[in-house]
Each structure stands twice: as structure tokens, then as C-alpha cells.
Amino acid sequence: MSDAKHTLLPLLPTTSALTFGTYTLKSGRQSPYFFNSSLLYTASLHHAVCSAYASVLTSPPFTSKPQSQYSSSSTLSESSNPTPIPIPTYDVLFGPAYKGIVLSGSILPFLLLQAQHTTNPTTISPFHSISYAYNRKEPKPHGEGGSLVGCPVKDKRVVIVDDVITAGTAIREAVNLIREEGGIVVGVVVLLDRQGRGGEEEPRSALGVASEELGVPVKAVIRFEDLIGAVEEGRIPGAGEEELRRMKEYRERYRSRD
């Protein structure tokens, strides 16, 4: 588990973004926990959330094979360089309205911070030119006009960032909009993967379905398995043996095949 994710998980109950009990989901399932990303509004939580997103976005499959941070003319050999630079495989973070809007812009500085330890002080980080964009719910008929705000996505490689995938409707709408504008969707990152199958006739999770349909990697900052692991370690306030038992029962009943 990344340091950023390790830091984030115990903070989730502080604004009741993560609670335990009995909750009826839209699918009709009885869940032993409930996650509400709308409550991640404090400075400390937002910092931890963006840092955790950045840890995913500065790792494979969203980075390519690292390069040496020194040129061939450098007096230092590659063997003396313990911290090669990961190269981003995308140009733009796109945040679907509304929750993705804040994420798309807020994550950018954390990309630089995550990559800082890998970068020679005299070298420009390969993440310095990553940009953000988001969509308006209604196209603007005046001024600059259009449906998009931020970096033009034409001919750019785009990663979509959002909070969760349920039916996947918002993600598909974002993909269609980006493609209409000439952009190339290369991945999706969401905050939580519930890791439950889509239904009695659908053995895949929502993330698995989205990844197969879109043909791009779809990753989550936090997986249900991470929550269970943190509860097992006693790191989640308000969750003990009973909560752990019910979460494991839920996992066994609804576990997806991906």
C-alpha cells in the first residue's frame, strides 16, 4: 500500500465520509459500510485524497518505463542514479462535472510533489506540463463558448478522474465528449472500487466492465480490500471485529471475478 493511501484511510471517518452500519444500496444490496465522497471537504482530507490520486497517476500503467534522470554527457553514471524518472503516458486530467472538476485541477500540484523525489534538482519534472480540463453541464453560448474548460484536448492523451463508478454513465458521457473534441482517452482513475460484481448475471465489477468496454486501464485509489486490510490492522476509527466480520461476509457474497 502506498504511503499516500496509508495516510488517507484512517482519515475517512473524520467527516463521516466512511461509516459503518446497515445501508441499502441502489442495487438493493445490504451493505455494512457506506462511502460518501461529498464529505471529503476538509483541508486535511482533500490534501490526502489528492496525494493518493497522484500516487496512482505517477505509477504504471499511467507512467512508462523510467528513464535515467541524467543525460549521456553527465559525469554521473546511470548506476549512480537510484531514482529514475517515471514518464507520464498522458497529457491531460479530465474531471467530469461536478465532483471531477475539483479533482482535475487539485491533483496537478501533487503530481509534481510525488515525482519530486525522483527528479534531479536541475531537471524539469516530466509532470510539469500535465494540464487539466473539465466539462460544463450546459454548453456556454457566449464568451469562449463550448462545453469544455481548461486545456483543449484535441490530439491529447487524456485520463479521466472521478470519485466512483456505479453504472458508468458519467464516465461514458465523458469519454464521448473527449472523443468528440478530438482527444484520446487512455485511462480512468476513481477514488473507490467496491470490488463487487455488477449483478447476479454480471460477474465483473463496475471497474472491470468499464475497462473492458473502453479498452483502457481503469484503476481505483482505494479498493474494498484496502478497507478490510486497514480494519484488520485496527487503523480505522469506529471499526472493530463486528464490522470486520460483516465486511468479509459481504465480500464473500458479492465478490467480483476481476
Side-chain angles (χ1 to χ4, degrees), residues 19-245:
T19 54
F20 300 91
T22 301
Y23 305 94
T24 302
L25 304 180
K26 187 176 181 179
S27 63
R29 295 175 183 172
Q30 297 291 307
S31 173
Y33 75 102
F34 188 72
F35 183 76
N36 184 356
S37 64
S38 297
L39 298 178
L40 299 171
Y41 48 65
T42 67
S44 60
L45 272 171
H46 192 60
H47 183 281
V49 166
C50 290
S51 180
Y53 268 96
S55 70
V56 175
L57 288 160
T58 53
S59 304
F62 302 107
T63 55
S64 62
K65 186 176 179 180
Q67 294 183 165
S68 169
Q69 60 178 315
Y70 300 104
S71 67
S72 59
S73 60
S74 172
T75 56
L76 294 175
S77 66
E78 288 193 17
S79 61
S80 68
N81 172 21
T83 52
I85 305 173
I87 305 301
T89 57
Y90 57 95
D91 308 298
V92 179
L93 296 184
F94 180 88
Y98 288 101
K99 292 179 181 178
I101 292 175
V102 174
L103 290 171
S104 63
S106 298
I107 293 169
L108 293 187
F110 289 86
L111 296 177
L112 294 177
L113 291 174
Q114 288 282 345
Q116 190 171 21
H117 71 283
T118 67
T119 308
N120 184 301
T122 62
T123 305
I124 296 176
S125 167
F127 291 89
H128 83 284
S129 61
I130 302 298
S131 305
Y132 76 88
Y134 60 87
N135 65 297
R136 297 184 174 95
K137 280 291 188 180
E138 299 293 336
K140 187 177 180 181
H142 57 277
E144 74 277 19
S147 298
L148 297 187
V149 179
C151 178
V153 299
K154 183 176 174 57
D155 297 326
K156 298 291 179 62
R157 300 167 299 172
V158 181
V159 171
I160 298 169
V161 291
D162 209 351
D163 60 337
V164 294
I165 289 180
T166 49
T169 304
I171 296 297
R172 291 184 184 89
E173 290 177 351
V175 169
N176 290 336
L177 179 57
I178 292 165
R179 289 174 175 170
E180 288 172 2
E181 296 288 335
I184 306 160
V185 177
V186 296
V188 180
V189 180
V190 297
L191 184 55
L192 177 67
D193 179 5
R194 299 182 186 276
Q195 293 186 290
R197 63 179 184 269
E200 295 304 321
E201 304 300 323
E202 177 50 80
R204 300 169 296 175
S205 68
L207 264 68
V209 171
S211 182
E212 289 187 30
E213 287 186 355
L214 300 176
V216 298
V218 180
K219 300 297 181 180
V221 173
I222 301 169
R223 302 171 305 144
F224 185 46
E225 288 291 338
D226 297 323
L227 293 179
I228 290 179
V231 173
E232 285 179 323
E233 295 169 4
R235 297 177 48 246
I236 304 294
E241 290 300 321
E242 177 60 18
E243 288 74 21
L244 180 61
R245 179 188 66 79

